[in-house]
Amino acid sequence: MGELVNLRQRRKRRAREEKEQRATENRIRHGRTRGERALEESAKAGLVARLDGHRREKSRDNDPR
């Protein structure tokens, strides 16, 4: 006698697997991983903070213009 199979569960499992496959293809095609984006954003924030730390600000009271 063969194995009993619940067709509803099988259909849902196949739909989930197909959806995951499409998602994987889209991730490869369209973008970077969350970790890559976070790493780049972190590096950019560090550079901006460093630049702001070296900025010479003009005071508005003694503006020679």
Side-chain angles (χ1 to χ4, degrees):
M1 185 167 182
E3 180 181 335
L4 293 177
V5 176
N6 188 331
L7 295 178
R8 178 180 51 83
Q9 289 177 346
R10 180 68 58 112
R11 202 170 31 247
K12 286 183 177 184
R13 182 182 315 141
R14 185 176 60 220
R16 281 192 301 267
E17 289 170 355
E18 289 173 358
K19 186 176 179 180
E20 181 60 33
Q21 180 65 30
R22 281 193 309 266
T24 302
E25 291 171 0
N26 286 336
R27 281 192 293 268
I28 292 170
R29 186 179 309 134
H30 293 292
R32 301 169 302 185
T33 64
R34 183 177 295 191
E36 290 171 339
R37 287 192 308 261
L39 181 63
E40 183 178 330
E41 186 176 325
S42 174
K44 184 178 178 181
L47 290 174
V48 169
R50 185 171 184 215
L51 181 65
D52 286 344
H54 287 86
R55 185 174 303 237
R56 293 175 55 191
E57 296 184 337
K58 298 177 183 177
S59 67
R60 294 177 188 242
D61 300 338
N62 299 330
D63 194 11
R65 284 195 258 165

